[in-house]
């Protein structure tokens, strides 16, 4: 398998595992059934601030890595540096999304209700869907030639 295809397969495997952890976190909480108890609004606010603070950091770093990958991969779709940047940008994005879910898990174990901790789960899963890996915008060395333009006589 070529380097590009191997990298894409690795990222999709890692992505699938990150998505599966979302369901494993919920399963774990359902099995343990942590007791609900009142939490100080300041604690919930601090967790919300942390989750929201990750968003611009994650988006900025993702953009920086993926823009570097675009430059490298447009010139050469098999460029190891470009593939490494693409891989790093995606894995970092998954980790940022996962961190929002982990904040929800922590809140649930601290005693928060599902309404509160569930917002962190929704945020994390939404980011995972939004930041799904995409490499098809870069030309592949195996891609067929584009069809001829229609109506040019």
């Amino acid at each position: 398998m070529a380097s590009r295809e191997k990298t894409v397969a690795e990222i999709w495997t890692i992505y699938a595992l990150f998505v599966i952890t979302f369901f494993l976190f919920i399963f774990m909480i359902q099995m343990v059934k942590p007791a609900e108890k009142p939490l100080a609004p300041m604690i919930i606010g601090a967790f919300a601030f942390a989750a929201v603070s990750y968003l611009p950091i994650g988006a900025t770093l993702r953009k920086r890595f993926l823009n570097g990958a675009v430059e490298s991969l447009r010139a050469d779709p098999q460029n190891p540096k470009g593939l490494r940047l693409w891989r790093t940008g995606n894995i970092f994005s998954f980790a940022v999304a996962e961190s929002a879910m982990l904040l929800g898990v922590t809140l649930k174990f601290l005693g928060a209700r599902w309404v509160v901790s569930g917002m962190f789960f929704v945020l994390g899963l939404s980011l995972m869907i939004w930041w799904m890996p995409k490499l098809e915008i870069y030309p592949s060395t195996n891609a067929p030639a584009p069809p001829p333009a229609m109506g040019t006589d």
Side-chain angles (χ1 to χ4, degrees):
M1 186 181 317
S3 177
R4 176 189 168 97
E5 287 76 20
K6 182 180 177 189
T7 302
V8 170
E10 287 173 359
I11 287 300
W12 274 103
T13 302
I14 293 168
Y15 178 76
L17 294 172
F18 269 90
V19 171
I20 289 169
T21 60
F22 169 82
F23 298 102
L24 292 176
F25 287 150
I26 293 174
F27 177 73
M28 175 184 63
I29 291 170
Q30 291 298 326
M31 294 302 293
V32 174
K33 296 187 188 319
E36 288 184 4
K37 54 187 170 191
L39 284 177
M42 184 167 255
I43 293 174
I44 296 171
F47 275 70
F49 178 77
V52 171
S53 296
Y54 286 150
L55 297 179
I57 295 169
T60 301
L61 288 176
R62 175 182 171 83
K63 185 177 180 180
R64 183 174 297 158
F65 282 116
L66 295 185
N67 283 347
V70 167
E71 294 171 14
S72 299
L73 294 174
R74 283 222 171 109
D76 175 16
Q78 296 291 339
N79 185 315
K81 179 184 176 200
L83 291 171
R84 188 175 62 248
L85 287 171
W86 183 78
R87 186 176 197 269
T88 303
N90 277 293
I91 292 173
F92 185 80
S93 303
F94 306 158
V96 168
E98 183 94 0
S99 68
M101 290 185 240
L102 285 171
L103 290 170
V105 170
T106 305
L107 276 173
K108 190 64 183 149
F109 277 99
L110 288 175
R113 296 174 48 207
W114 267 115
V115 173
V116 174
S117 61
M119 290 188 290
F120 292 86
F121 280 94
V122 169
L123 174 64
L125 188 61
S126 298
L127 289 173
M128 287 297 294
I129 293 169
W130 185 321
W131 288 340
M132 188 179 298
K134 298 170 189 77
L135 189 61
E136 62 274 353
I137 60 171
Y138 313 115
S140 172
T141 54
N142 300 346
M150 300 298 285
T152 56
D153 292 320

Coordinates of all heavy atoms in Angstrom, one line a residue, residues 61-143:
L61 N -5.0 25.5 15.2 CA -3.9 24.5 14.9 C -4.3 23.6 13.8 O -3.4 23.2 13.0 CB -3.6 23.8 16.2 CG -2.8 24.7 17.2 CD1 -2.6 23.9 18.5 CD2 -1.5 25.2 16.6
R62 N -5.6 23.2 13.8 CA -6.0 22.3 12.7 C -5.8 23.0 11.3 O -5.2 22.4 10.4 CB -7.5 21.9 12.8 CG -8.0 21.1 11.7 CD -9.5 20.8 11.8 NE -10.1 20.2 10.7 CZ -10.1 19.0 10.3 NH1 -9.4 18.1 11.1 NH2 -10.6 18.5 9.2
K63 N -6.2 24.3 11.3 CA -6.0 25.0 10.0 C -4.6 25.2 9.7 O -4.2 25.0 8.5 CB -6.7 26.4 10.2 CG -6.7 27.2 8.9 CD -7.4 28.5 9.1 CE -7.4 29.3 7.8 NZ -8.1 30.5 7.8
R64 N -3.7 25.4 10.6 CA -2.3 25.6 10.4 C -1.7 24.3 9.8 O -1.0 24.4 8.8 CB -1.6 26.0 11.6 CG -0.1 26.3 11.4 CD 0.6 26.9 12.6 NE 0.0 28.1 13.0 CZ 0.1 28.7 14.2 NH1 0.7 28.0 15.2 NH2 -0.5 29.8 14.4
F65 N -2.0 23.2 10.4 CA -1.4 21.9 10.0 C -2.0 21.6 8.6 O -1.2 21.2 7.7 CB -1.7 20.8 10.9 CG -0.8 20.8 12.2 CD1 -1.4 21.0 13.4 CD2 0.5 20.6 12.0 CE1 -0.6 20.9 14.5 CE2 1.3 20.6 13.2 CZ 0.8 20.7 14.4
L66 N -3.3 21.7 8.4 CA -3.9 21.3 7.1 C -3.5 22.2 6.0 O -3.4 21.8 4.9 CB -5.4 21.1 7.3 CG -5.8 20.0 8.2 CD1 -7.4 19.9 8.2 CD2 -5.2 18.7 8.0
N67 N -3.4 23.5 6.3 CA -2.9 24.4 5.2 C -1.5 24.1 4.8 O -1.2 24.2 3.6 CB -3.0 25.9 5.7 CG -4.4 26.4 5.7 OD1 -5.3 25.8 5.1 ND2 -4.6 27.6 6.3
G68 N -0.6 23.7 5.7 CA 0.7 23.3 5.4 C 0.7 22.0 4.5 O 1.4 21.8 3.6
A69 N -0.3 21.1 4.9 CA -0.4 19.9 4.1 C -0.9 20.2 2.7 O -0.4 19.5 1.7 CB -1.4 18.9 4.8
V70 N -1.8 21.1 2.5 CA -2.3 21.5 1.2 C -1.2 21.9 0.3 O -1.1 21.4 -0.8 CB -3.4 22.6 1.3 CG1 -3.7 23.2 0.0 CG2 -4.7 22.1 2.0
E71 N -0.3 22.8 0.8 CA 0.8 23.3 0.0 C 1.7 22.1 -0.4 O 2.1 22.0 -1.6 CB 1.6 24.3 0.8 CG 0.8 25.6 1.1 CD 1.6 26.5 2.0 OE1 2.8 26.2 2.3 OE2 0.9 27.4 2.6
S72 N 2.0 21.2 0.5 CA 2.9 20.1 0.1 C 2.2 19.1 -0.8 O 2.9 18.6 -1.7 CB 3.4 19.4 1.4 OG 4.1 20.3 2.2
L73 N 1.0 18.8 -0.5 CA 0.3 17.7 -1.2 C -0.2 18.1 -2.6 O -0.4 17.3 -3.5 CB -0.8 17.1 -0.4 CG -0.4 16.4 0.9 CD1 -1.6 16.0 1.7 CD2 0.5 15.2 0.5
R74 N -0.4 19.4 -2.8 CA -0.8 19.9 -4.2 C 0.4 19.7 -5.2 O 0.2 19.3 -6.3 CB -1.2 21.3 -4.1 CG -2.6 21.5 -3.6 CD -3.4 22.5 -4.3 NE -4.8 22.4 -3.9 CZ -5.3 23.4 -3.1 NH1 -4.7 24.5 -2.9 NH2 -6.6 23.2 -2.7
A75 N 1.6 19.9 -4.7 CA 2.8 19.7 -5.5 C 3.1 18.2 -5.8 O 3.4 17.8 -6.9 CB 4.0 20.4 -4.9
D76 N 3.0 17.5 -4.7 CA 3.3 16.0 -4.7 C 2.3 15.3 -3.8 O 2.5 15.4 -2.6 CB 4.7 15.8 -4.4 CG 5.1 14.3 -4.3 OD1 4.3 13.5 -4.9 OD2 6.1 14.0 -3.7
P77 N 1.3 14.6 -4.3 CA 0.4 13.9 -3.4 C 1.0 12.8 -2.5 O 0.4 12.4 -1.5 CB -0.6 13.2 -4.4 CG -0.5 14.0 -5.7 CD 1.0 14.5 -5.7
Q78 N 2.2 12.4 -2.8 CA 2.9 11.4 -1.9 C 3.9 12.1 -1.0 O 4.7 11.3 -0.3 CB 3.6 10.4 -2.8 CG 2.6 9.5 -3.6 CD 1.8 8.6 -2.8 OE1 2.1 8.3 -1.7 NE2 0.6 8.2 -3.4
N79 N 4.0 13.4 -0.9 CA 4.9 14.1 -0.1 C 4.8 13.7 1.4 O 3.8 13.9 2.0 CB 4.7 15.6 -0.2 CG 5.8 16.4 0.5 OD1 6.1 16.1 1.6 ND2 6.2 17.4 -0.2
P80 N 5.9 13.1 1.9 CA 5.9 12.6 3.3 C 5.6 13.7 4.3 O 4.9 13.5 5.3 CB 7.2 12.0 3.5 CG 7.8 11.8 2.2 CD 7.2 12.7 1.3
K81 N 6.2 14.9 4.1 CA 5.9 16.0 5.0 C 4.5 16.4 5.0 O 3.9 16.7 6.0 CB 6.8 17.2 4.6 CG 6.6 18.4 5.5 CD 7.4 19.6 5.1 CE 7.1 20.8 6.0 NZ 7.5 22.1 5.4
G82 N 3.9 16.5 3.8 CA 2.5 16.9 3.6 C 1.6 15.9 4.3 O 0.6 16.2 5.0
L83 N 1.9 14.6 4.1 CA 1.1 13.5 4.7 C 1.2 13.6 6.3 O 0.2 13.4 7.0 CB 1.5 12.2 4.2 CG 1.1 11.9 2.7 CD1 1.7 10.6 2.2 CD2 -0.4 11.9 2.5
R84 N 2.4 13.9 6.7 CA 2.6 14.0 8.2 C 1.9 15.2 8.8 O 1.2 15.0 9.8 CB 4.1 14.1 8.5 CG 4.5 14.0 9.9 CD 6.0 14.0 10.2 NE 6.6 15.3 9.7 CZ 7.4 15.4 8.7 NH1 7.8 14.3 8.0 NH2 8.0 16.5 8.4
L85 N 1.9 16.3 8.1 CA 1.1 17.5 8.5 C -0.4 17.2 8.5 O -1.1 17.5 9.5 CB 1.4 18.7 7.6 CG 2.8 19.3 7.8 CD1 3.0 20.4 6.7 CD2 2.9 19.9 9.2
W86 N -0.9 16.5 7.5 CA -2.3 16.1 7.4 C -2.7 15.2 8.5 O -3.7 15.4 9.2 CB -2.6 15.5 6.0 CG -4.0 15.2 5.8 CD1 -5.0 16.0 5.5 CD2 -4.6 13.9 6.0 NE1 -6.2 15.3 5.4 CE2 -6.0 14.0 5.7 CE3 -4.1 12.6 6.3 CZ2 -6.9 13.0 5.7 CZ3 -5.0 11.6 6.3 CH2 -6.4 11.7 6.0
R87 N -1.8 14.2 8.8 CA -2.1 13.3 9.9 C -2.1 14.0 11.2 O -3.0 13.8 12.1 CB -1.0 12.2 9.8 CG -1.2 11.1 10.8 CD 0.0 10.0 10.5 NE -0.3 8.7 11.1 CZ 0.0 8.4 12.3 NH1 0.7 9.2 13.1 NH2 -0.3 7.2 12.8
T88 N -1.1 14.8 11.5 CA -1.0 15.5 12.7 C -2.2 16.4 13.0 O -2.7 16.5 14.1 CB 0.3 16.3 12.8 OG1 1.4 15.4 12.6 CG2 0.5 17.1 14.1
G89 N -2.6 17.2 11.9 CA -3.7 18.1 12.1 C -5.0 17.3 12.4 O -5.8 17.8 13.2
N90 N -5.2 16.2 11.8 CA -6.4 15.4 12.1 C -6.3 14.8 13.5 O -7.3 14.9 14.2 CB -6.6 14.3 11.0 CG -7.2 14.8 9.8 OD1 -8.4 15.2 9.8 ND2 -6.5 14.9 8.7
I91 N -5.2 14.2 13.9 CA -5.2 13.6 15.2 C -5.3 14.7 16.3 O -6.0 14.5 17.3 CB -3.8 12.8 15.4 CG1 -3.9 11.6 14.5 CG2 -3.6 12.4 16.8 CD1 -2.6 10.8 14.4
F92 N -4.7 15.8 16.1 CA -4.9 16.9 17.0 C -6.4 17.3 17.1 O -6.9 17.6 18.2 CB -4.0 18.1 16.6 CG -4.1 19.2 17.7 CD1 -3.3 19.1 18.8 CD2 -4.9 20.3 17.5 CE1 -3.3 20.1 19.8 CE2 -4.9 21.3 18.4 CZ -4.2 21.2 19.6
S93 N -7.0 17.4 16.0 CA -8.5 17.8 16.0 C -9.3 16.8 16.8 O -10.2 17.1 17.5 CB -9.0 17.8 14.6 OG -8.2 18.8 13.8
F94 N -9.0 15.5 16.6 CA -9.7 14.4 17.3 C -9.5 14.6 18.8 O -10.4 14.4 19.6 CB -9.3 13.0 16.9 CG -9.4 12.8 15.4 CD1 -8.6 11.8 14.8 CD2 -10.2 13.5 14.5 CE1 -8.6 11.5 13.4 CE2 -10.2 13.3 13.2 CZ -9.5 12.3 12.6
A95 N -8.3 14.9 19.2 CA -8.0 15.0 20.6 C -8.7 16.2 21.2 O -9.2 16.1 22.4 CB -6.5 15.2 20.8
V96 N -8.8 17.3 20.5 CA -9.6 18.5 21.0 C -11.0 18.1 21.2 O -11.7 18.4 22.2 CB -9.4 19.7 20.1 CG1 -10.4 20.8 20.4 CG2 -7.9 20.2 20.2
A97 N -11.6 17.4 20.2 CA -13.0 17.0 20.3 C -13.2 16.0 21.5 O -14.2 16.1 22.2 CB -13.5 16.3 19.0
E98 N -12.3 15.1 21.6 CA -12.3 14.1 22.7 C -12.2 14.8 24.1 O -12.8 14.4 25.1 CB -11.2 13.1 22.6 CG -11.2 12.0 23.6 CD -12.0 10.8 23.1 OE1 -12.5 10.8 22.0 OE2 -12.0 9.8 23.9
S99 N -11.5 15.9 24.2 CA -11.3 16.6 25.4 C -12.6 17.2 25.9 O -12.9 17.2 27.1 CB -10.2 17.7 25.3 OG -10.7 18.7 24.5
A100 N -13.5 17.6 25.0 CA -14.8 18.1 25.4 C -15.6 17.0 26.0 O -16.3 17.2 27.0 CB -15.5 18.7 24.2
M101 N -15.5 15.8 25.4 CA -16.3 14.7 25.9 C -15.7 14.3 27.3 O -16.5 13.9 28.2 CB -16.1 13.5 25.0 CG -16.9 13.6 23.7 SD -16.8 12.1 22.7 CE -16.0 12.7 21.2
L102 N -14.4 14.3 27.4 CA -13.8 14.0 28.7 C -14.2 14.9 29.8 O -14.4 14.5 31.0 CB -12.3 13.9 28.6 CG -11.7 12.7 27.9 CD1 -10.3 12.9 27.7 CD2 -12.0 11.4 28.7
L103 N -14.4 16.2 29.5 CA -14.9 17.1 30.5 C -16.4 16.8 30.9 O -16.7 16.9 32.1 CB -14.9 18.6 29.9 CG -13.5 19.2 29.7 CD1 -13.5 20.5 29.0 CD2 -12.8 19.4 31.1
G104 N -17.1 16.3 29.9 CA -18.5 15.8 30.2 C -18.5 14.6 31.1 O -19.3 14.5 32.1
V105 N -17.5 13.7 30.9 CA -17.4 12.5 31.7 C -17.0 12.9 33.1 O -17.6 12.4 34.1 CB -16.3 11.5 31.2 CG1 -16.0 10.4 32.2 CG2 -16.8 10.9 29.8
T106 N -16.1 13.8 33.3 CA -15.7 14.3 34.6 C -16.8 14.9 35.3 O -17.0 14.7 36.5 CB -14.5 15.2 34.4 OG1 -13.4 14.6 33.7 CG2 -13.9 15.7 35.8
L107 N -17.5 15.8 34.6 CA -18.7 16.4 35.3 C -19.7 15.4 35.8 O -20.3 15.5 36.8 CB -19.4 17.4 34.3 CG -18.7 18.8 34.3 CD1 -19.4 19.6 33.2 CD2 -18.9 19.5 35.6
K108 N -19.9 14.4 35.0 CA -20.9 13.4 35.3 C -20.5 12.6 36.6 O -21.2 12.4 37.5 CB -21.1 12.4 34.2 CG -22.3 11.4 34.4 CD -23.6 12.1 34.4 CE -24.7 11.2 34.7 NZ -25.8 11.8 35.5
F109 N -19.1 12.3 36.7 CA -18.6 11.7 37.9 C -18.6 12.6 39.1 O -18.6 12.1 40.2 CB -17.3 11.0 37.6 CG -17.4 9.7 36.9 CD1 -17.2 9.5 35.6 CD2 -17.7 8.5 37.7 CE1 -17.4 8.3 35.0 CE2 -17.9 7.3 37.1 CZ -17.7 7.2 35.7
L110 N -18.6 13.9 38.8 CA -18.6 14.8 40.0 C -20.1 15.0 40.5 O -20.3 15.6 41.5 CB -18.1 16.2 39.5 CG -16.6 16.3 39.3 CD1 -16.2 17.7 38.8 CD2 -15.9 16.0 40.7
G111 N -21.0 14.5 39.7 CA -22.4 14.5 40.1 C -23.3 15.4 39.3 O -24.5 15.5 39.6
A112 N -22.9 15.9 38.1 CA -23.7 16.7 37.3 C -24.8 15.8 36.7 O -24.7 14.6 36.5 CB -22.9 17.3 36.2
R113 N -25.9 16.5 36.3 CA -27.0 15.8 35.7 C -26.7 15.6 34.2 O -25.8 16.2 33.7 CB -28.3 16.6 35.8 CG -28.8 16.8 37.2 CD -29.9 17.7 37.4 NE -31.0 17.4 36.5 CZ -31.9 18.3 36.0 NH1 -31.8 19.6 36.5 NH2 -32.8 18.0 35.2
W114 N -27.4 14.7 33.5 CA -27.1 14.4 32.1 C -27.3 15.6 31.3 O -26.7 15.8 30.2 CB -28.0 13.3 31.6 CG -27.4 11.9 31.7 CD1 -27.8 10.9 32.5 CD2 -26.2 11.5 31.0 NE1 -26.9 9.8 32.3 CE2 -26.0 10.2 31.4 CE3 -25.4 12.1 30.1 CZ2 -24.9 9.4 30.9 CZ3 -24.3 11.3 29.6 CH2 -24.1 10.0 30.0
V115 N -28.3 16.5 31.6 CA -28.5 17.7 30.9 C -27.2 18.5 30.8 O -26.9 19.1 29.7 CB -29.7 18.5 31.5 CG1 -29.8 19.9 30.8 CG2 -31.0 17.7 31.5
V116 N -26.5 18.6 31.8 CA -25.3 19.4 31.9 C -24.1 18.7 31.2 O -23.5 19.2 30.2 CB -24.9 19.8 33.3 CG1 -23.6 20.5 33.4 CG2 -26.0 20.6 34.0
S117 N -23.9 17.5 31.6 CA -22.7 16.7 31.0 C -23.0 16.4 29.6 O -22.1 16.3 28.8 CB -22.4 15.5 31.8 OG -23.4 14.6 31.9
G118 N -24.3 16.2 29.2 CA -24.6 15.8 27.9 C -24.2 16.9 26.8 O -23.9 16.6 25.7
M119 N -24.3 18.2 27.3 CA -23.9 19.2 26.4 C -22.4 19.1 25.9 O -22.1 19.4 24.8 CB -24.1 20.6 27.0 CG -25.5 20.9 27.2 SD -25.8 22.6 27.8 CE -25.2 22.5 29.5
F120 N -21.6 18.6 26.8 CA -20.2 18.4 26.5 C -20.0 17.2 25.5 O -19.2 17.3 24.6 CB -19.4 18.2 27.8 CG -19.3 19.4 28.6 CD1 -20.2 19.7 29.6 CD2 -18.2 20.2 28.5 CE1 -20.2 20.8 30.4 CE2 -18.1 21.4 29.3 CZ -19.1 21.7 30.2
F121 N -20.8 16.2 25.7 CA -20.8 15.1 24.8 C -21.3 15.5 23.4 O -20.7 15.1 22.4 CB -21.7 13.9 25.3 CG -21.1 13.1 26.4 CD1 -21.3 13.4 27.7 CD2 -20.3 12.0 26.1 CE1 -20.7 12.6 28.7 CE2 -19.7 11.2 27.0 CZ -19.9 11.5 28.4
V122 N -22.3 16.3 23.3 CA -22.8 16.8 22.1 C -21.8 17.6 21.4 O -21.5 17.5 20.2 CB -24.2 17.5 22.2 CG1 -24.6 18.3 21.0 CG2 -25.3 16.6 22.7
L123 N -21.1 18.5 22.1 CA -20.1 19.3 21.6 C -18.9 18.5 21.0 O -18.5 18.7 19.9 CB -19.5 20.3 22.6 CG -18.3 21.1 22.2 CD1 -18.7 22.1 21.1 CD2 -17.8 21.9 23.4
G124 N -18.5 17.5 21.8 CA -17.4 16.7 21.3 C -17.8 15.9 20.1 O -17.0 15.8 19.1
L125 N -18.9 15.3 20.1 CA -19.3 14.5 18.9 C -19.6 15.4 17.7 O -19.2 15.0 16.6 CB -20.6 13.7 19.2 CG -21.0 12.7 18.1 CD1 -19.9 11.6 17.9 CD2 -22.3 12.0 18.5
S126 N -20.1 16.6 17.9 CA -20.3 17.5 16.8 C -18.9 17.9 16.2 O -18.8 18.0 15.0 CB -21.0 18.8 17.3 OG -22.3 18.5 17.8
L127 N -18.0 18.1 17.0 CA -16.6 18.4 16.5 C -16.0 17.3 15.8 O -15.4 17.4 14.7 CB -15.7 18.9 17.7 CG -16.0 20.2 18.3 CD1 -15.1 20.4 19.5 CD2 -15.8 21.3 17.3
M128 N -16.3 16.1 16.3 CA -15.8 14.9 15.6 C -16.4 14.8 14.2 O -15.7 14.4 13.2 CB -16.1 13.6 16.4 CG -15.2 13.4 17.6 SD -13.5 13.2 17.3 CE -13.4 11.7 16.4
I129 N -17.7 15.1 14.1 CA -18.3 15.0 12.7 C -17.8 16.2 11.9 O -17.5 16.0 10.7 CB -19.9 15.1 12.9 CG1 -20.3 13.8 13.6 CG2 -20.6 15.3 11.6 CD1 -21.7 13.8 14.1
W130 N -17.7 17.4 12.4 CA -17.3 18.5 11.7 C -15.9 18.3 11.2 O -15.5 18.7 10.0 CB -17.4 19.7 12.5 CG -17.1 21.0 11.8 CD1 -16.1 21.3 10.9 CD2 -17.7 22.3 12.0 NE1 -16.1 22.6 10.5 CE2 -17.1 23.2 11.1 CE3 -18.8 22.7 12.8 CZ2 -17.5 24.5 11.1 CZ3 -19.2 24.0 12.7 CH2 -18.6 24.9 11.9
W131 N -15.0 17.8 12.0 CA -13.6 17.7 11.7 C -13.3 16.3 11.2 O -12.2 15.8 11.3 CB -12.7 18.0 12.9 CG -12.7 19.4 13.3 CD1 -13.0 20.5 12.5 CD2 -12.3 20.0 14.5 NE1 -12.8 21.6 13.1 CE2 -12.4 21.4 14.4 CE3 -11.9 19.4 15.8 CZ2 -12.2 22.2 15.5 CZ3 -11.7 20.3 16.8 CH2 -11.8 21.7 16.7
M132 N -14.2 15.7 10.5 CA -14.0 14.4 9.9 C -12.8 14.5 8.9 O -12.7 15.5 8.2 CB -15.3 13.9 9.1 CG -15.3 12.5 8.6 SD -16.8 12.2 7.8 CE -18.0 12.3 9.1
P133 N -11.9 13.5 8.8 CA -10.8 13.6 7.9 C -11.2 13.7 6.4 O -12.1 13.0 6.0 CB -10.0 12.3 8.1 CG -10.8 11.4 9.0 CD -12.0 12.2 9.5
K134 N -10.6 14.6 5.7 CA -10.9 14.8 4.3 C -9.5 14.9 3.6 O -8.8 15.8 3.9 CB -11.7 16.0 4.1 CG -13.0 16.0 4.7 CD -13.7 17.4 4.7 CE -14.9 17.4 5.5 NZ -14.6 17.5 6.9
L135 N -9.3 14.0 2.6 CA -8.0 14.1 1.8 C -8.4 14.2 0.4 O -7.5 14.4 -0.5 CB -7.1 13.0 2.2 CG -5.7 13.1 1.6 CD1 -5.0 14.4 2.1 CD2 -4.8 11.9 1.9
E136 N -9.6 14.0 0.0 CA -10.0 13.9 -1.4 C -9.8 15.2 -2.1 O -9.9 15.2 -3.4 CB -11.4 13.4 -1.6 CG -12.5 14.2 -1.0 CD -12.7 14.0 0.5 OE1 -12.2 13.0 1.0 OE2 -13.5 14.7 1.1
I137 N -9.6 16.3 -1.4 CA -9.4 17.6 -2.2 C -8.0 17.7 -2.8 O -7.7 18.5 -3.6 CB -9.6 18.8 -1.2 CG1 -8.6 18.8 -0.1 CG2 -11.0 18.9 -0.8 CD1 -8.6 20.0 0.8
Y138 N -7.1 16.7 -2.4 CA -5.8 16.8 -3.0 C -5.7 15.7 -4.1 O -6.2 14.6 -3.9 CB -4.7 16.4 -1.9 CG -4.9 17.3 -0.7 CD1 -5.3 16.6 0.5 CD2 -4.9 18.6 -0.7 CE1 -5.5 17.4 1.7 CE2 -5.1 19.4 0.5 CZ -5.4 18.8 1.6 OH -5.6 19.5 2.7
P139 N -5.1 16.0 -5.2 CA -5.0 15.0 -6.3 C -4.3 13.8 -5.9 O -3.3 13.8 -5.2 CB -4.3 15.8 -7.4 CG -3.5 16.9 -6.7 CD -4.3 17.2 -5.4
S140 N -4.7 12.7 -6.3 CA -4.1 11.4 -6.1 C -3.2 11.0 -7.3 O -3.6 11.3 -8.4 CB -5.1 10.3 -5.8 OG -4.5 9.0 -5.8
T141 N -2.2 10.3 -7.1 CA -1.3 9.9 -8.2 C -2.0 8.8 -9.0 O -1.7 8.5 -10.1 CB 0.0 9.3 -7.7 OG1 -0.2 8.3 -6.7 CG2 0.8 10.4 -7.1
N142 N -3.0 8.1 -8.4 CA -3.8 7.1 -9.1 C -5.0 7.6 -9.8 O -5.8 6.8 -10.4 CB -4.1 6.0 -8.1 CG -2.9 5.4 -7.5 OD1 -1.8 5.5 -7.9 ND2 -3.1 4.6 -6.4
A143 N -5.3 8.9 -9.6 CA -6.6 9.4 -10.1 C -6.6 9.4 -11.7 O -5.6 9.7 -12.3 CB -6.8 10.8 -9.6

